Amino acid sequence: MIEKHFGLPAKVENDANAAGLAEALFGAAVGYRHVFYVTVSTGIGTGIIIDRKIYHGKNGVAGEGGHVSIDYKSPYRCGCGSLGCVEALAAGPAMVRRARVRLEQEHTTPSLLREFTFGNLSRLTPKMIQAAARAGDTVAKTIIDDTGFFLGVWLAGMITLLDPEVIVIGGGVAQIGKPLFDKIRETIPRYTINRRFAANTPLLPAKLKKNVGVFGAASLFLPSGEKAESD
Ligand SMILES: [Zn+2]
């Protein structure tokens, strides 16, 4: 329908796959062939780039890394229906949910998050958690620390499975930066079989920010992108 309407060729690709390809071709992972791309925002999307090509799997649905469970007994059900998907534990809404649960249960624990939301915790956002942690708030710091731990356990598994040359992490939650990345780095070696290699796998912040999906989609029409889609 799009081709017909615009009179131009059109292609369809998963947004995280396209973003991962963009980071490999023009972003943080330039110079690497095997890339595991992660975006942590309202969900967790991933793209597996092998030999500078998107890995699609048999049915074109490979690379849904955010729906790999790291806690099958988790009280948190994911949007996909499973229990303990890393998305349900570590994406932005999951951070907010964990913070809310804690502050509602411990209603005398002081926290800047109560001030930021004017006492209405339904207003809580990941950005507020980030700001409160920066200002030294203990609850907010714990929430970020736990997020880094969950991502670390999960990425350790991804490293065990894929042995990527580099991991690129983008999305709004990744903008928390150092405290989050430090906790992920600290956790990874404890949950992978290849400790030494895992410890040396670079964990880079994404470079292309907001338009990364658009870059990736556009690149599907470049010779390098055509190649990426060919198999
Ligand atoms: Zn899921």
Side-chain angles (χ1 to χ4, degrees):
M1 283 167 74
I2 291 169
E3 286 195 332
K4 221 174 168 186
H5 184 85
F6 291 100
L8 292 167
K11 289 186 182 185
V12 174
E13 182 54 88
N14 171 281
D15 56 349
N17 286 351
L21 181 62
E23 288 290 346
L25 295 178
F26 329 107
V30 167
Y32 296 99
R33 299 153 65 90
H34 310 309
V35 181
F36 188 69
Y37 170 80
V38 186
T39 172
V40 189
S41 54
T42 51
I44 293 185
T46 64
I48 302 169
I49 311 297
I50 298 175
D51 219 1
R52 292 212 180 87
K53 291 177 189 168
I54 296 169
Y55 177 72
H56 286 110
K58 182 191 172 197
N59 300 296
V61 295
E64 289 294 340
H67 296 285
V68 169
S69 175
I70 55 166
D71 181 7
Y72 65 93
K73 287 182 180 169
S74 174
Y76 296 123
R77 194 169 286 282
C78 181
C80 78
S82 288
L83 288 178
C85 293
V86 71
E87 172 169 309
L89 295 169
M95 289 175 68
V96 166
R97 179 164 56 179
R98 282 190 281 112
R100 276 187 69 176
V101 167
R102 173 147 180 214
L103 291 170
E104 279 163 8
Q105 283 174 350
E106 305 172 23
H107 52 88
T108 53
T109 303
S111 172
L112 281 173
L113 297 174
R114 297 191 199 280
E115 291 171 35
F116 289 175
T117 56
F118 302 101
N120 179 359
L121 289 170
S122 68
R123 288 182 177 164
L124 195 60
T125 65
K127 277 226 153 73
M128 289 178 190
I129 297 172
Q130 184 184 351
R134 248 188 221 151
D137 187 81
T138 316
V139 174
K141 276 172 148 176
T142 310
I143 296 298
I144 288 175
D145 223 40
D146 291 346
T147 304
F149 176 74
F150 294 139
L151 290 171
V153 170
W154 169 69
L155 284 172
M158 298 300 113
I159 290 173
T160 300
L161 185 69
L162 297 167
D163 186 19
E165 279 181 287
V166 66
I167 294 171
V168 177
I169 307 184
V173 173
Q175 284 170 28
I176 291 169
K178 196 173 182 308
L180 185 71
F181 278 67
D182 283 354
K183 185 67 186 185
I184 297 173
R185 278 200 189 93
E186 176 201 314
T187 307
I188 283 175
R190 292 161 49 202
Y191 290 87
T192 179
I193 190 167
N194 294 316
R195 281 157 204 247
R196 204 154 49 88
F197 294 133
N200 292 327
T201 306
L203 205 65
L204 305 176
K207 240 185 189 170
L208 300 173
K209 314 279 179 213
K210 260 192 179 158
N211 293 322
V212 61
V214 179
F215 276 110
S219 78
L220 298 177
F221 286 97
L222 296 176
S224 49
E226 294 261 353
K227 225 176 128 232
E229 289 271 280
S230 61
D231 328 348

Coordinates of all heavy atoms in Angstrom, one line a residue, residues 97-161:
R97 N 7.4 1.1 38.4 CA 6.6 0.1 39.2 C 7.3 -0.3 40.4 O 6.7 -0.3 41.5 CB 6.2 -1.1 38.3 CG 5.3 -2.1 39.1 CD 4.6 -3.0 38.1 NE 5.6 -3.7 37.2 CZ 5.2 -4.6 36.3 NH1 3.9 -4.9 36.2 NH2 6.1 -5.2 35.6
R98 N 8.6 -0.7 40.3 CA 9.3 -1.1 41.5 C 9.5 0.0 42.5 O 9.4 -0.2 43.7 CB 10.7 -1.6 41.1 CG 10.7 -3.0 40.5 CD 12.1 -3.6 40.3 NE 12.7 -3.1 39.1 CZ 13.8 -2.3 39.0 NH1 14.3 -2.0 40.2 NH2 14.3 -1.9 37.9
A99 N 9.7 1.2 42.0 CA 9.8 2.4 42.9 C 8.5 2.6 43.6 O 8.4 2.8 44.9 CB 10.2 3.6 42.2
R100 N 7.4 2.6 42.9 CA 6.1 2.8 43.5 C 5.7 1.8 44.6 O 5.3 2.1 45.6 CB 5.0 2.7 42.4 CG 4.8 4.0 41.7 CD 3.6 4.0 40.7 NE 2.3 3.9 41.5 CZ 1.2 3.9 40.8 NH1 1.1 4.0 39.5 NH2 0.1 3.9 41.5
V101 N 6.0 0.5 44.2 CA 5.7 -0.6 45.2 C 6.4 -0.4 46.4 O 5.9 -0.4 47.5 CB 6.0 -2.0 44.5 CG1 6.1 -3.1 45.6 CG2 5.1 -2.3 43.4
R102 N 7.7 0.0 46.3 CA 8.5 0.2 47.5 C 8.0 1.4 48.3 O 7.9 1.3 49.6 CB 10.0 0.4 47.1 CG 10.8 0.8 48.3 CD 12.3 0.3 48.2 NE 12.9 0.7 49.4 CZ 14.2 1.1 49.5 NH1 15.0 1.0 48.4 NH2 14.7 1.5 50.7
L103 N 7.8 2.5 47.7 CA 7.4 3.7 48.4 C 6.0 3.6 49.0 O 5.7 4.1 50.1 CB 7.4 4.9 47.5 CG 8.8 5.3 47.1 CD1 8.8 6.4 46.0 CD2 9.6 5.9 48.3
E104 N 5.1 2.8 48.4 CA 3.8 2.5 48.9 C 3.8 1.6 50.1 O 3.1 1.8 51.1 CB 2.8 2.0 47.8 CG 2.3 3.1 46.9 CD 1.7 2.6 45.6 OE1 1.6 1.4 45.4 OE2 1.4 3.5 44.8
Q105 N 4.7 0.6 50.0 CA 4.9 -0.3 51.2 C 5.6 0.3 52.3 O 5.2 0.2 53.5 CB 5.7 -1.6 50.7 CG 4.8 -2.5 49.9 CD 5.7 -3.7 49.4 OE1 6.9 -3.7 49.4 NE2 5.0 -4.7 48.8
E106 N 6.6 1.1 52.0 CA 7.4 1.8 53.1 C 7.0 3.2 53.2 O 7.7 4.1 52.8 CB 8.9 1.7 52.8 CG 9.3 0.2 52.6 CD 10.8 0.2 52.2 OE1 11.6 1.1 52.4 OE2 11.1 -0.8 51.6
H107 N 5.7 3.5 53.6 CA 5.2 4.8 53.4 C 5.9 5.9 54.4 O 5.6 7.1 54.3 CB 3.7 4.9 53.5 CG 3.2 4.2 54.8 ND1 3.0 4.9 55.9 CD2 2.8 2.9 55.0 CE1 2.5 4.0 56.8 NE2 2.4 2.8 56.3
T108 N 6.8 5.4 55.3 CA 7.5 6.4 56.1 C 8.9 6.7 55.6 O 9.6 7.6 56.0 CB 7.5 6.0 57.6 OG1 8.1 4.7 57.6 CG2 6.2 6.0 58.2
T109 N 9.3 5.8 54.6 CA 10.7 6.0 54.1 C 10.7 7.4 53.3 O 9.9 7.6 52.4 CB 11.0 4.9 53.1 OG1 10.9 3.7 53.8 CG2 12.5 5.0 52.6
P110 N 11.6 8.3 53.7 CA 11.7 9.5 53.0 C 12.3 9.3 51.6 O 13.2 8.5 51.5 CB 12.6 10.4 53.9 CG 13.4 9.4 54.7 CD 12.6 8.1 54.8
S111 N 11.8 10.1 50.7 CA 12.4 10.0 49.3 C 12.0 11.3 48.5 O 10.9 11.8 48.6 CB 11.9 8.8 48.6 OG 12.3 8.9 47.2
L112 N 13.0 11.8 47.8 CA 12.7 12.9 46.9 C 11.6 12.6 45.9 O 11.0 13.5 45.4 CB 14.0 13.2 46.1 CG 15.1 14.0 46.8 CD1 16.3 14.1 45.9 CD2 14.6 15.4 47.1
L113 N 11.4 11.3 45.6 CA 10.4 10.9 44.6 C 9.0 11.3 45.1 O 8.2 11.6 44.3 CB 10.5 9.4 44.4 CG 11.8 8.9 43.8 CD1 11.8 7.4 43.7 CD2 12.0 9.5 42.4
R114 N 8.8 11.4 46.4 CA 7.5 11.8 46.9 C 7.4 13.3 46.6 O 6.3 13.8 46.3 CB 7.5 11.6 48.5 CG 7.5 10.1 48.8 CD 7.2 10.0 50.3 NE 7.6 8.7 50.8 CZ 7.0 7.5 50.7 NH1 5.9 7.5 50.0 NH2 7.5 6.4 51.2
E115 N 8.5 14.1 46.8 CA 8.4 15.5 46.5 C 8.2 15.8 45.0 O 7.3 16.6 44.6 CB 9.7 16.2 46.9 CG 9.8 16.3 48.5 CD 11.2 16.7 48.9 OE1 11.7 17.6 48.2 OE2 11.7 16.2 49.9
F116 N 9.0 15.1 44.2 CA 8.9 15.3 42.7 C 7.5 15.0 42.2 O 7.0 15.6 41.2 CB 9.9 14.3 42.0 CG 11.3 14.7 42.2 CD1 12.3 13.9 41.7 CD2 11.7 15.9 42.8 CE1 13.7 14.2 41.8 CE2 13.0 16.2 43.0 CZ 14.0 15.4 42.5
T117 N 6.8 14.0 42.8 CA 5.4 13.7 42.3 C 4.3 14.4 43.1 O 3.2 14.1 43.0 CB 5.2 12.1 42.5 OG1 5.4 11.8 43.8 CG2 6.2 11.4 41.6
F118 N 4.7 15.3 44.0 CA 3.8 16.0 44.9 C 2.9 15.0 45.7 O 1.7 15.2 45.8 CB 2.9 17.0 44.2 CG 3.7 18.0 43.5 CD1 4.0 17.9 42.1 CD2 4.3 19.1 44.2 CE1 4.8 18.9 41.4 CE2 5.1 20.1 43.5 CZ 5.3 20.0 42.2
G119 N 3.5 13.9 46.1 CA 2.8 12.8 46.8 C 1.9 11.9 46.0 O 1.3 11.0 46.5
N120 N 1.8 12.2 44.7 CA 1.0 11.3 43.8 C 1.9 10.5 43.0 O 2.4 10.9 41.9 CB 0.1 12.2 42.9 CG -0.7 11.4 42.0 OD1 -0.7 10.2 42.0 ND2 -1.5 12.1 41.2
L121 N 2.2 9.2 43.5 CA 3.2 8.4 42.9 C 2.8 7.9 41.5 O 3.6 7.4 40.7 CB 3.5 7.2 43.8 CG 4.2 7.5 45.1 CD1 4.3 6.3 46.0 CD2 5.7 8.0 44.8
S122 N 1.6 8.1 41.1 CA 1.2 7.7 39.7 C 1.8 8.7 38.7 O 1.8 8.4 37.5 CB -0.3 7.7 39.5 OG -0.8 9.0 39.6
R123 N 2.4 9.8 39.2 CA 3.1 10.7 38.3 C 4.5 10.4 38.1 O 5.2 11.1 37.3 CB 3.1 12.1 38.9 CG 1.7 12.8 38.9 CD 1.9 14.2 39.4 NE 0.6 14.9 39.4 CZ 0.4 16.0 40.1 NH1 1.3 16.5 40.9 NH2 -0.8 16.6 40.0
L124 N 5.0 9.4 38.8 CA 6.4 9.0 38.7 C 6.9 8.6 37.3 O 6.2 7.9 36.6 CB 6.7 7.8 39.7 CG 8.1 7.5 40.1 CD1 8.7 8.7 40.8 CD2 8.1 6.3 41.0
T125 N 8.1 9.1 37.0 CA 8.7 8.8 35.7 C 10.1 8.3 35.9 O 10.7 8.6 36.9 CB 8.7 10.0 34.7 OG1 9.6 11.0 35.3 CG2 7.4 10.6 34.5
P126 N 10.7 7.6 34.9 CA 12.1 7.2 35.0 C 13.0 8.4 35.1 O 14.0 8.3 35.8 CB 12.4 6.4 33.7 CG 11.0 6.0 33.2 CD 10.1 7.0 33.7
K127 N 12.7 9.5 34.5 CA 13.5 10.7 34.5 C 13.6 11.2 36.0 O 14.6 11.7 36.4 CB 12.9 11.8 33.6 CG 13.4 11.7 32.2 CD 13.8 13.0 31.6 CE 14.8 12.9 30.5 NZ 14.2 12.4 29.3
M128 N 12.5 11.2 36.7 CA 12.5 11.6 38.1 C 13.4 10.7 38.9 O 14.1 11.2 39.8 CB 11.0 11.5 38.7 CG 10.1 12.6 38.2 SD 8.5 12.3 38.9 CE 7.5 13.4 37.9
I129 N 13.4 9.4 38.6 CA 14.2 8.5 39.4 C 15.7 8.8 39.2 O 16.5 8.8 40.1 CB 13.9 7.0 39.0 CG1 12.4 6.6 39.4 CG2 14.9 6.0 39.6 CD1 12.0 5.3 38.9
Q130 N 16.0 9.1 37.9 CA 17.3 9.5 37.5 C 17.8 10.8 38.3 O 18.9 10.8 38.9 CB 17.4 9.7 36.0 CG 18.8 10.0 35.5 CD 18.8 10.3 34.0 OE1 17.8 10.2 33.3 NE2 20.0 10.8 33.5
A131 N 16.9 11.8 38.3 CA 17.2 13.0 38.9 C 17.4 12.9 40.4 O 18.3 13.4 41.1 CB 16.1 14.1 38.6
A132 N 16.5 12.1 41.0 CA 16.6 11.8 42.5 C 17.8 11.1 42.9 O 18.5 11.4 43.9 CB 15.3 11.1 42.9
A133 N 18.2 10.1 42.0 CA 19.5 9.4 42.3 C 20.6 10.3 42.3 O 21.6 10.2 43.1 CB 19.6 8.2 41.3
R134 N 20.7 11.2 41.3 CA 21.7 12.2 41.1 C 21.9 13.0 42.4 O 22.9 13.5 42.8 CB 21.5 13.0 39.9 CG 22.6 12.7 38.9 CD 22.5 13.7 37.7 NE 22.7 12.9 36.5 CZ 22.2 13.2 35.3 NH1 21.5 14.3 35.2 NH2 22.5 12.4 34.3
A135 N 20.7 13.3 43.0 CA 20.7 14.2 44.1 C 21.0 13.4 45.4 O 20.9 13.9 46.5 CB 19.3 14.9 44.2
G136 N 21.2 12.1 45.3 CA 21.6 11.3 46.4 C 20.5 10.5 47.1 O 20.7 9.9 48.1
D137 N 19.4 10.5 46.5 CA 18.2 9.8 47.1 C 18.5 8.2 47.1 O 18.7 7.6 46.1 CB 16.9 10.0 46.2 CG 15.7 9.5 46.9 OD1 15.2 10.1 47.8 OD2 15.3 8.4 46.5
T138 N 18.3 7.7 48.3 CA 18.7 6.3 48.5 C 17.7 5.3 47.7 O 18.2 4.3 47.1 CB 18.6 5.9 50.0 OG1 19.2 6.9 50.7 CG2 19.3 4.6 50.3
V139 N 16.4 5.6 47.8 CA 15.5 4.7 47.1 C 15.7 4.7 45.6 O 15.8 3.7 45.0 CB 14.0 5.2 47.4 CG1 13.0 4.4 46.6 CG2 13.7 5.1 48.9
A140 N 15.9 5.9 45.0 CA 16.1 6.0 43.6 C 17.4 5.3 43.2 O 17.5 4.7 42.2 CB 16.2 7.5 43.2
K141 N 18.5 5.5 44.0 CA 19.7 4.8 43.7 C 19.6 3.3 43.7 O 20.1 2.6 42.9 CB 20.8 5.2 44.8 CG 21.5 6.5 44.5 CD 22.3 6.8 45.7 CE 23.6 7.5 45.5 NZ 24.2 7.8 46.8
T142 N 18.8 2.8 44.7 CA 18.5 1.3 44.7 C 17.8 0.8 43.5 O 18.1 -0.2 43.0 CB 17.7 1.0 46.0 OG1 18.3 1.6 47.1 CG2 17.6 -0.5 46.2
I143 N 16.8 1.6 43.1 CA 16.0 1.3 41.9 C 17.0 1.2 40.7 O 16.9 0.2 39.9 CB 14.9 2.3 41.6 CG1 13.9 2.3 42.7 CG2 14.2 2.0 40.3 CD1 13.2 1.0 43.0
I144 N 17.9 2.1 40.5 CA 18.8 2.1 39.4 C 19.8 0.9 39.5 O 20.1 0.3 38.5 CB 19.6 3.5 39.3 CG1 18.6 4.5 38.8 CG2 20.8 3.4 38.3 CD1 19.1 5.9 38.7
D145 N 20.3 0.7 40.7 CA 21.2 -0.4 41.0 C 20.5 -1.7 40.6 O 21.2 -2.6 40.0 CB 21.5 -0.4 42.5 CG 23.0 -0.6 42.8 OD1 23.8 -0.1 42.0 OD2 23.3 -1.3 43.7
D146 N 19.3 -1.9 41.0 CA 18.6 -3.2 40.7 C 18.4 -3.3 39.2 O 18.5 -4.4 38.7 CB 17.2 -3.2 41.4 CG 17.4 -3.4 42.9 OD1 18.5 -3.7 43.4 OD2 16.4 -3.1 43.7
T147 N 18.1 -2.2 38.5 CA 17.9 -2.2 37.1 C 19.2 -2.7 36.4 O 19.2 -3.5 35.5 CB 17.5 -0.8 36.6 OG1 16.4 -0.4 37.3 CG2 17.3 -0.8 35.1
G148 N 20.4 -2.1 36.9 CA 21.7 -2.5 36.4 C 21.9 -4.0 36.6 O 22.5 -4.7 35.8
F149 N 21.5 -4.5 37.8 CA 21.7 -5.9 38.1 C 20.9 -6.8 37.2 O 21.4 -7.7 36.6 CB 21.3 -6.1 39.6 CG 21.4 -7.6 40.0 CD1 22.6 -8.2 40.2 CD2 20.2 -8.3 40.1 CE1 22.7 -9.6 40.5 CE2 20.3 -9.7 40.4 CZ 21.5 -10.3 40.6
F150 N 19.6 -6.5 37.0 CA 18.8 -7.3 36.1 C 19.4 -7.3 34.7 O 19.5 -8.3 34.0 CB 17.4 -6.7 36.0 CG 16.6 -6.8 37.3 CD1 15.8 -5.8 37.8 CD2 16.7 -8.0 38.1 CE1 15.1 -5.9 39.0 CE2 16.0 -8.1 39.3 CZ 15.2 -7.1 39.7
L151 N 19.8 -6.1 34.2 CA 20.3 -6.0 32.8 C 21.7 -6.8 32.8 O 22.0 -7.4 31.8 CB 20.6 -4.5 32.4 CG 19.3 -3.7 32.2 CD1 19.6 -2.2 32.0 CD2 18.5 -4.2 30.9
G152 N 22.4 -6.7 33.8 CA 23.7 -7.4 33.9 C 23.5 -8.9 33.8 O 24.2 -9.6 33.1
V153 N 22.6 -9.5 34.6 CA 22.3 -10.9 34.6 C 21.9 -11.3 33.2 O 22.4 -12.3 32.6 CB 21.2 -11.3 35.6 CG1 20.7 -12.7 35.4 CG2 21.6 -11.0 37.0
W154 N 21.0 -10.6 32.6 CA 20.5 -10.9 31.3 C 21.6 -10.8 30.2 O 21.7 -11.7 29.4 CB 19.3 -9.9 31.0 CG 18.8 -9.9 29.6 CD1 18.1 -10.9 29.0 CD2 18.9 -8.8 28.7 NE1 17.8 -10.5 27.7 CE2 18.2 -9.2 27.5 CE3 19.5 -7.5 28.7 CZ2 18.1 -8.4 26.4 CZ3 19.4 -6.7 27.6 CH2 18.7 -7.2 26.5
L155 N 22.3 -9.7 30.2 CA 23.4 -9.5 29.2 C 24.5 -10.6 29.4 O 25.1 -11.0 28.4 CB 24.0 -8.1 29.3 CG 23.1 -7.0 28.7 CD1 23.7 -5.6 29.0 CD2 22.9 -7.2 27.2
A156 N 24.7 -11.0 30.6 CA 25.7 -12.1 30.8 C 25.2 -13.3 30.0 O 26.0 -14.0 29.3 CB 25.8 -12.4 32.3
G157 N 23.9 -13.6 30.0 CA 23.4 -14.7 29.3 C 23.5 -14.5 27.8 O 23.8 -15.4 27.0
M158 N 23.3 -13.3 27.3 CA 23.4 -12.9 25.9 C 24.8 -13.1 25.5 O 25.1 -13.6 24.4 CB 22.9 -11.5 25.6 CG 21.5 -11.2 26.0 SD 20.3 -12.2 25.1 CE 19.6 -13.2 26.4
I159 N 25.8 -12.8 26.3 CA 27.2 -12.9 26.0 C 27.5 -14.4 25.9 O 28.2 -14.9 25.0 CB 28.1 -12.2 27.0 CG1 27.9 -10.7 26.9 CG2 29.5 -12.6 26.9 CD1 28.7 -9.9 27.9
T160 N 27.0 -15.2 26.9 CA 27.3 -16.6 26.9 C 26.8 -17.3 25.6 O 27.4 -18.1 25.0 CB 26.5 -17.3 28.1 OG1 27.1 -16.7 29.3 CG2 26.8 -18.8 28.1
L161 N 25.6 -16.8 25.1 CA 25.0 -17.3 23.9 C 25.6 -16.9 22.6 O 25.9 -17.7 21.7 CB 23.5 -16.9 23.9 CG 22.6 -17.5 22.8 CD1 22.5 -19.0 23.0 CD2 21.3 -16.8 22.8

